[in-house]
Amino acid sequence: METSGNSQRKIVTGDAGYVLEDTYPNPLQDNPAYSVVKQYFVNADDTVAQKIVVHESSPRGTHFRRAGPRQRGGYRGFYSRNTIPLTPKVVNDIHKRGGTILGTSRGGHNTTKIVDSIQDRGINQVYVIGGDGTQKGASVIYEEIRRRGLKVSVAGIPKTIDNDIPVIDKSFGFDTAVEEAQRGINAAHVEAESFENGIGLVKLMGRNSGFIAMYATLASRDVDCCLIPESPFYLEGAGGLFEFIGKRLKENGHMVIVTAEGAGQELLSESLHSIDQQDASGNKLLQDVGLWLSQRIRDHFSRQKKMTINLKYIDPTYMIRAIPSIASDNVYCTLLAQSAVHGAMAGYTGFTVGPVNGRHAYIPFYRIIERQNKVVITDRMWARLLSSTNQPSFLSSKDIIEANKEEEPPTQLLEDNCSSDDKLDTKRIMC
Ligand SMILES: Nc1ncnc2c1ncn2[C@@H]1O[C@H](COP(=O)(O)OP(=O)(O)O)[C@@H](O)[C@H]1O
Ligand SMILES: O=P(O)(O)OC[C@H]1O[C@](O)(COP(=O)(O)O)[C@@H](O)[C@@H]1O
Ligand SMILES: [Mg+2]
């Protein structure tokens, strides 16, 4: 496609006589009324043909941009001309608000269009903020920028409550999520304690990595059982979850269970005969383990008729993600921001910034995207959790051998031998 035009007109021509007489985006695209339901948005590429009666051999003819609200935020923000200058005044108190002033989205990553936009606007530093998917997106932008030989620094900033970004000590937002999860767990504990055989079940985020559930459990000490994606469990029979619940209720009269949203997904798929689906970013869409578990526990105890239970299910997931960050995360964020700017200003590129064993470093994207950070259940931290809750490990000796095989090597600092030649060609960790 070719584009030409002046400030009034923009003409795009394509194959088979396709002509798009384009216009500029409507500022209403940011209206919150449109941002809730995705279906309200029109596809960014939708056009309307001027002529609707055509012959097989007639050219495709003139088209106009389809009217309607467009999504932006996340990587889609690169395609928007509706940019905001981030002056110190604009960002002055954003750390006191939840969410994001930049907007966020899943999917919509088109590397060519993003780099075109960077090139057209003459941008020479790009800071990309987000989780594991975002860092993968930043990495391909960086590769394309290199391929085109542009002098543009690309820096990734690790922001996700899931803590699923490898190499770094933790991601920004994780501590806030663990802190806020305490409120959900406390509520579950209060409810469970108030009833005879009360069970409080809390679902926390953590699609593939159970860090929030694990740390929230360790912090609370009111949790009797913590279920995470990395540790398969089973319900029925000796050593299973139902047996443990019965035992704990007999001992204590109440109990609290914390489950990460990604826990037990294989069990759910088996039991619900569901087919795998993905979100727009390619992440597996998860079944609601909390609802499923609540139903299965209720069914089990009502079938057994030995014990009447009172189960309260709490899902605080979005309430946890939507809050402003806590003080320690604010300090961490300041360090990330400053380190990222220092790196880009020095001409480094292709890195995610973050602490490695307590020291902030620039980690090449290829290290960040090669795997996801997960709880290693053969590590001592998981053993600490097991000894704190005294829950069954649900592991057979075969599972332990398998888990050991999958275990990642401990995080290592890469060789630090940076020179000025490494500028715009970061291939190692720099401190
Ligand atoms: N391999 C990839 N290549 C390019 N873009 C990607 C890749 N994986 C994810 N993305 C994009 O990164 C963005 C964020 O990813 P997502 O998984 O939704 O969130 P997070 O960054 O929090 O993990 C989305 O726009 C998604 O399309
Ligand atoms: O419903 P949404 O908006 O897709 O968000 C749910 C996801 O957000 C997370 O908390 C964070 O994930 P990302 O960092 O990948 O966005 C996941 O644990 C969870 O599955
Ligand atoms: Mg992610």
Side-chain angles (χ1 to χ4, degrees):
M1 284 216 179
E2 272 184 24
T3 308
S4 64
N6 54 33
S7 57
Q8 253 81 61
R9 289 183 82 188
K10 188 172 165 219
I11 310 289
V12 182
T13 52
D15 292 339
Y18 176 91
V19 180
L20 167 64
E21 291 192 4
D22 209 357
T23 178
Y24 290 99
N26 185 330
L28 272 182
Q29 67 187 8
D30 291 331
N31 190 315
Y34 291 106
S35 59
V36 184
V37 180
K38 285 187 176 146
Q39 291 90 316
Y40 288 162
F41 292 102
V42 297
N43 189 299
D45 293 320
D46 280 359
T47 54
V48 179
Q50 188 179 26
K51 268 186 165 180
I52 55 165
V53 181
V54 290
H55 314 281
E56 198 184 320
S57 56
S58 57
R60 291 178 65 199
T62 300
H63 290 65
F64 303 106
R65 188 67 70 191
R66 185 177 175 197
R70 274 141 176 87
Q71 269 185 291
R72 59 172 287 217
Y75 279 116
R76 288 174 222 271
F78 277 104
Y79 322 137
S80 164
R81 286 189 194 81
N82 209 10
T83 51
I84 319 165
L86 295 181
T87 60
K89 197 166 171 222
V90 169
V91 299
N92 186 39
D93 65 351
I94 57 172
H95 61 293
K96 294 184 182 151
R97 300 186 227 160
T100 161
I101 62 157
L102 299 175
T104 185
S105 67
R106 301 225 182 260
H109 181 109
N110 179 326
T111 313
T112 308
K113 276 169 82 176
I114 291 169
V115 180
D116 284 351
S117 162
I118 292 169
Q119 203 168 358
D120 291 351
R121 295 171 200 222
I123 293 169
N124 58 12
Q125 290 180 5
V126 180
Y127 299 94
V128 189
I129 306 166
D132 61 326
T134 303
Q135 306 302 318
K136 284 183 194 143
S139 170
V140 289
I141 291 172
Y142 158 71
E143 295 296 344
E144 178 60 15
I145 282 173
R146 269 178 66 103
R147 201 188 60 76
R148 296 190 193 183
L150 306 176
K151 294 278 180 207
V152 178
S153 288
V154 184
I157 295 165
K159 183 264 348 152
T160 168
I161 60 171
D162 283 7
N163 196 35
D164 56 6
I165 301 178
V167 188
I168 59 170
D169 297 345
K170 69 180 166 199
S171 55
F172 166 59
F174 172 65
D175 280 351
T176 301
V178 171
E179 187 72 45
E180 187 65 9
Q182 301 304 303
R183 289 180 2 121
I185 295 173
N186 286 345
H189 187 231
V190 168
E191 289 288 329
E193 238 185 353
S194 308
F195 291 90
E196 194 185 342
N197 294 325
I199 302 175
L201 173 62
V202 185
K203 184 177 78 171
L204 300 176
M205 276 184 182
R207 169 185 285 150
N208 301 310
S209 307
F211 288 104
I212 302 176
M214 174 164 99
Y215 277 77
T217 296
L218 278 164
S220 154
R221 311 204 72 89
D222 282 335
V223 180
D224 295 270
C225 186
C226 172
L227 304 170
I228 59 168
E230 296 87 339
S231 178
F233 64 94
Y234 54 95
L235 302 178
E236 318 260 359
L241 183 64
F242 293 154
E243 183 190 74
F244 175 64
I245 294 175
K247 187 169 148 271
R248 194 50 64 93
L249 288 178
K250 261 192 208 140
E251 286 163 7
N252 286 351
H254 70 277
M255 75 180 294
V256 175
I257 303 171
V258 163
T259 180
E261 63 175 339
Q265 287 295 313
E266 324 76 47
L267 285 181
L268 267 90
S269 304
E270 254 173 50
S271 125
L272 303 173
H273 305 292
S274 54
I275 34 165
D276 274 4
Q277 286 184 304
Q278 294 184 334
D279 70 13
S281 296
N283 301 303
K284 187 174 178 237
L285 277 181
L286 303 178
Q287 310 277 348
D288 192 327
V289 62
L291 283 176
W292 177 80
L293 212 48
S294 306
Q295 202 49 52
R296 295 297 307 266
I297 295 170
R298 286 191 187 110
D299 289 350
H300 173 81
F301 284 96
S302 77
R303 257 198 327 268
Q304 254 206 352
K305 296 195 177 89
K306 284 191 201 147
M307 187 183 264
T308 307
I309 60 145
N310 264 297
L311 187 146
K312 311 290 173 198
Y313 171 44
I314 301 180
D315 177 352
T317 46
Y318 292 110
M319 297 187 72
I320 288 171
R321 194 171 69 178
I323 61 158
S325 50
I326 58 171
S328 61
D329 257 331
N330 284 341
V331 174
Y332 178 32
C333 188
T334 303
L335 264 69
L336 288 173
Q338 293 188 357
S339 306
V341 172
H342 287 312
M345 286 292 187
Y348 293 110
T349 184
F351 65 85
T352 298
V353 66
V356 179
N357 299 321
R359 301 278 171 181
H360 278 246
Y362 302 135
I363 304 126
F365 282 144
Y366 66 83
R367 284 279 170 208
I368 293 290
I369 65 172
E370 67 187 357
R371 65 184 175 90
Q372 250 184 342
N373 192 31
K374 294 194 182 197
V375 173
V376 178
I377 56 169
T378 48
D379 261 8
R380 203 163 291 126
M381 205 60 184
W382 186 242
R384 288 180 183 122
L385 180 136
L386 295 179
S387 75
S388 145
T389 58
N390 217 2
Q391 69 190 63
S393 78
F394 302 110
L395 287 175
S396 62
S397 45
K398 181 173 156 276
D399 290 330
I400 293 170
I401 293 166
E402 289 301 314
N404 271 327
K405 269 195 225 154
E406 282 168 22
E407 194 178 343
E408 297 292 341
T411 307
Q412 294 277 337
L413 266 173
L414 295 182
E415 207 185 353
D416 181 4
N417 53 354
C418 331
S419 73
S420 55
D421 296 345
D422 295 319
K423 290 189 176 180
L424 287 168
D425 187 17
T426 308
K427 287 289 179 204
R428 54 182 68 88
I429 287 181
M430 292 165 287
C431 301

